[in-house]
Every structure is written in structure tokens, then in C-alpha cells.
Amino acid sequence: MDGDLDQALDAVGPRLRALRKQRETTLADLSRETGISVSTLSRLESGARRPTLELLLPLARAHGVTLDELVGAPPTGDPRIHLRPVTHHGMTMLPLTRRAGGIQAYKLVIPARKGTPDPQTHEGYEWLYVLNGRLRLVLGEHDLVLAPGEAAEFDTRVPHWFGAADAEPVEILSLFGRQGERAHLRARPTSRSASS
């Protein structure tokens, strides 16, 4: 049994490195995202440091994978996906995708709260769709309110902020991709007129 455990733990480092490379993330970026030092991350990836639960949990979250996937646990035979919401700055995020790279999908529930928008920038491209409530989106020079059924897409290098537009929470779907990855929507062709 100890041999199986050692073998599983030895495989974690290469898996961590592969996930980080797949996401095209640097050790410094991952350190900022997880709060784990660059040297600890490097030692984990090289196998010089034994992984612990305290280190694996934030790494699994950052890479968008389960702990089972991170340590290579054998499949249980249960095909259901058990997505777990994460609360960050009062906002509840439910990941809708599990793969590490590519476009990530989330359902976000943003509580009503007072505050001054603080637009931020980062690499990537985002698409937002309002399900319920009203979303305030500050994007560059624009200050918009989106109602249910409305969507917005933007390059996240443009200063942006979003939150509830009024005293009610807002629910949105978010698709986020690294720079250059955009949501591709197909439009239905218009029907031909009866005269043609």
C-alpha cells in the first residue's frame, strides 16, 4: 500500500507541471493565484517537495481540476460531475467546465452591494450573459446596465468591472478564455423572402 501511495505522490509533480504548461501560466502567476511561493511550486513540480493537502487544494482550484485528477486517483465508475461552488469576494462562482485549458465557463451569482467600481485589466477575453437580475458593466469609457437575455463580450485588457446594478443580486453565465480565445457564435441564416 505504501508503494502505491509513493507512486501516486511521485506522479503529482509532472501532472502539476503539465497542467501549468497547458494553461500557459508561469510559476509567478500561479504563485499570485494560490498564495504558494514560487520556490515551493518549483520544488513540487520537480518532485523535491512532497505534496500536502494544504498545497494541493489551492492548486486543484487554480487549475480547475479535482483532487482526484491531480493525484491520479482511479476512477470510481460514477459518471456524474460534482461541481462545487467557490465564493470569492462575496461572489459565488460555479465552474461549468472541468478541463484545464481553453475556454472556461462559469455561472456567477453576484450579491447586491454598494461600492465604487474598481476596473481591472488582465489577459483574456470574456463573454457575459445575464440570466436574472440586472448587471452593471463598466468597460473602458462605457457604463452599461444589462438585463436578462442580454450579453456582452470584451477583451479583458480593457479596464472592466461588473456587479449588481441595483438592490437585487444578479446571475450571469461567463465564458472566459486566455488571450486570443474568443467565443464563436453561429448566427442562423435569415430566411429567404417569399418572393425569391
Side-chain angles (χ1 to χ4, degrees):
M1 187 68 166
D2 286 343
D4 290 343
L5 179 61
D6 288 338
Q7 190 175 4
L9 291 176
D10 288 345
V12 170
R15 249 188 226 99
L16 286 171
R17 179 177 285 117
L19 285 167
R20 183 175 58 79
K21 297 287 187 189
Q22 190 177 30
R23 289 180 59 213
E24 298 175 2
T25 301
T26 65
L27 286 172
D29 291 338
L30 190 56
S31 175
R32 279 190 295 278
E33 195 174 351
T34 61
I36 300 169
S37 72
V38 171
S39 64
T40 298
L41 290 170
S42 177
R43 290 173 54 223
L44 279 170
E45 286 187 4
S46 68
R49 170 136 188 199
R50 192 169 178 102
T52 64
L53 192 56
E54 290 84 11
L55 295 171
L56 292 177
L57 281 172
L59 288 168
R61 219 176 278 129
H63 290 309
V65 298
T66 65
L67 276 175
D68 284 352
E69 290 171 298
L70 203 54
V71 298
T76 62
D78 184 352
R80 295 174 294 178
I81 297 172
H82 303 284
L83 300 172
R84 291 185 175 79
V86 175
T87 301
H88 187 63
H89 297 298
M91 177 173 35
T92 302
M93 301 184 296
L94 178 66
L96 301 175
T97 51
R98 290 178 31 163
R99 62 191 180 100
I103 293 179
Q104 301 293 309
Y106 301 91
K107 178 181 179 185
L108 306 176
V109 180
I110 306 168
R113 61 179 169 202
K114 299 286 185 205
T116 305
D118 181 21
Q120 303 290 316
T121 63
H122 52 88
E123 287 294 313
Y125 200 84
E126 190 149 7
W127 182 86
L128 304 173
Y129 178 83
V130 181
L131 296 167
N132 291 303
R134 293 168 17 102
L135 180 75
R136 180 177 178 197
L137 171 64
V138 175
L139 180 63
E141 300 297 318
H142 303 282
D143 193 338
L144 310 164
V145 174
L146 284 77
E150 292 186 306
E153 63 177 319
F154 53 93
D155 186 321
T156 56
R157 291 177 297 181
V158 175
H160 63 282
W161 174 93
F162 54 85
D166 46 39
E168 300 295 322
V170 62
E171 293 180 38
I172 63 174
L173 289 178
S174 167
L175 296 179
F176 176 78
R178 299 187 81 56
Q179 196 55 43
E181 292 182 291
R182 298 176 66 162
H184 297 283
L185 304 175
R186 282 198 174 158
R188 220 176 343 176
T190 56
S191 60
R192 293 185 175 190
S193 64
S195 62
S196 53

